[in-house]
Each structure stands twice: as C-alpha cells, then as structure tokens.
C-alpha cells in the first residue's frame, strides 16, 4: 500500500509530525508512507483566474495517486487547525481528490484525552458532499500526553499505544483493500449498466 500521510498543522515542532514519522518507519515493511506538509500551502481563497496554486495541485495529485490517506490532527480549541481546514477547503473547491479515498485519522495532543474532539470534527468535514472521503468506521487513535510519548530517536515509548497502533493500521490496510475492490466492481457495474430505453424493443 502507498499512503499519503498529511501533517495536520503548520507548526515547526509537532508531536503529530513525530507520530507520522514513527508510523513511516514502524510500518515500512507493510506500506510506504509519504509525509506531506501543509505549512507551505496558501490560506484558502477563491482565485479570480481559476488558477490553482502549485502547492495545492501537488497535494491533489499526491492524494489521487495514493491508495489511501492518513491525517494526523492536533486539537486547537476543541477542533482542527485552521491550516488543515484551509487545505481541505482547497481540495473541496478544486480537485475533490478525496472523494471515495480511504482515510485514517490519528492524532496527538499534550492533554490526556488526545485529539478526540478534533478527530470527531474532522470526520464531519471529510463526510461532507464535496469531500466525500471513505472513513474507516469505529476507528480512532488518540495519543495523549504526547510531549513525553517519544524518545530521542523518535520511537513511541508507550507499549500499549504501539499495540493499538499496530491493530488499527492492519485494519486500515484491509479497509483500503476492500474499498479499492468495491470501487472497482462498482465501476464495472456502471460501465455495463443499460438504461431502460436501451433494452426496449422497437
């Protein structure tokens, strides 16, 4: 599997970035993860000339090429960051590249509860008609007290959280495979479907 892992913050220092970096190394034998930084994306605006900024076009192309997307979100004031919301607005307004794309949400925060409220909000956003991502049900990875969760080499030091992450990642690879097959079969059905007027005899 090839996954695009989106760092959901423009902060230079982030435990969500560290979480994705750990996942990239930890799961390297199972999947390829490419990290994408949204800190270089412009804030969303409606371009007068309908020209999509290069960074946005690059993000869309990477999403379309990936088997699935992993988004790591912190929690600011009970919701996702403004930079992540802006990035999603660009996708919604332009390519709609997340439509039917398998998505896994993970998150880290300095508090004990992890990014639970932000993840719930992000699910609502990704379920909107213009984004319409395929979210793995009954799944959330919440890393609380994240400032103390990694050692000097970037390894996640909470054994229970590593076990939990292993399980949810295996489920996501299976979910990705199932969604890919479902969409492939759906495309075949649509291609072979005939309308009533096409089957009526003269």
């Amino acid at each position: 599997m090839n996954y695009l892992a989106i760092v959901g913050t423009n902060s230079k220092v982030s435990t969500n970035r560290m979480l994705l970096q750990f996942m990239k190394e930890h799961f390297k034998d199972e999947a390829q993860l490419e990290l994408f930084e949204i800190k270089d994306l412009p804030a969303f605006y409606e371009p007068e000339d309908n020209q999509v900024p290069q960074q946005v076009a690059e993000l869309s192309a990477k999403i379309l090429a990936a088997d699935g997307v992993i988004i790591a979100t912190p929690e600011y004031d009970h919701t996702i960051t403004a930079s992540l919301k802006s990035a999603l607005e660009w996708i919604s307004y332009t390519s709609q590249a997340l439509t039917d794309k398998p998505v896994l949400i993970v998150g880290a925060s300095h508090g004990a509860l992890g990014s639970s409220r932000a993840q719930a909000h992000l699910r609502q956003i990704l379920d909107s008609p213009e984004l319409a991502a395929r979210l793995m049900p009954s799944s959330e990875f919440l890393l609380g007290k994240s400032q103390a969760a990694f050692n000097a080499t970037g390894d996640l030091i909470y054994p229970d959280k590593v076990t939990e992450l292993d399980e949810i990642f295996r489920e996501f690879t299976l979910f990705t495979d199932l969604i890919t097959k479902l969409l492939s079969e759906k495309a075949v059905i649509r291609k072979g479907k005939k309308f009533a007027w096409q089957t009526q005899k003269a």
Side-chain angles (χ1 to χ4, degrees):
M1 294 293 179
N2 294 301
Y3 292 123
L4 185 68
I6 297 176
V7 181
T9 178
N10 58 7
S11 176
K12 293 181 179 179
V13 178
S14 170
T15 52
N16 282 277
R17 183 180 294 107
M18 295 176 69
L19 174 58
L20 291 179
Q21 289 170 338
F22 170 76
M23 292 176 66
K24 178 178 180 178
E25 177 65 21
H26 187 66
F27 297 116
K28 64 182 179 182
D29 293 333
E30 301 174 49
Q32 179 179 340
L33 272 68
E34 177 186 358
L35 268 64
F36 186 90
E37 298 282 355
I38 61 172
K39 57 185 176 63
D40 297 324
L41 295 177
F44 175 74
Y45 62 91
E46 293 188 18
E48 295 180 0
D49 54 3
N50 290 325
Q51 292 296 313
V52 179
Q54 180 181 350
Q55 303 96 318
V56 175
E58 179 185 356
L59 173 57
S60 293
K62 288 181 179 295
I63 291 173
L64 289 170
D67 294 310
V69 174
I70 302 170
I71 302 176
T73 178
E75 183 173 310
Y76 292 1
D77 300 322
H78 290 183
T79 189
I80 62 175
T81 64
S83 54
L84 178 55
K85 183 62 168 62
S86 178
L88 294 173
E89 286 173 351
W90 273 119
I91 298 301
S92 171
Y93 184 80
T94 59
S95 65
Q96 299 186 343
L98 281 167
T99 299
D100 284 334
K101 187 69 62 173
V103 174
L104 172 65
I105 300 173
V106 298
S109 74
H110 299 171
L113 297 179
S115 57
S116 58
R117 295 182 182 91
Q119 289 196 34
H121 189 198
L122 182 54
R123 281 183 171 274
Q124 290 182 318
I125 295 170
L126 291 170
D127 196 41
S128 65
E130 291 76 18
L131 290 171
R134 297 275 182 160
L135 296 161
M136 189 168 77
S138 303
S139 65
E140 63 179 5
F141 180 79
L142 306 171
L143 181 61
K145 300 181 179 179
S146 59
Q147 285 179 307
F150 301 94
N151 62 19
T153 59
D155 293 322
L156 183 58
I157 63 173
Y158 301 151
D160 59 326
K161 284 298 179 181
V162 174
T163 300
E164 182 182 341
L165 191 59
D166 286 342
E167 182 177 348
I168 198 171
F169 191 80
R170 283 194 297 267
E171 290 177 354
F172 185 56
T173 56
L174 177 59
F175 177 76
T176 303
D177 188 50
L178 291 173
I179 290 298
T180 301
K181 290 179 179 177
L182 173 64
L183 294 176
S184 177
E185 293 175 2
K186 186 177 179 181
V188 171
I189 292 172
R190 282 180 174 176
K191 185 177 180 180
K193 184 178 180 180
K194 292 185 177 181
F195 295 99
W197 59 268
Q198 292 177 307
T199 59
Q200 290 176 351
K201 295 182 179 179

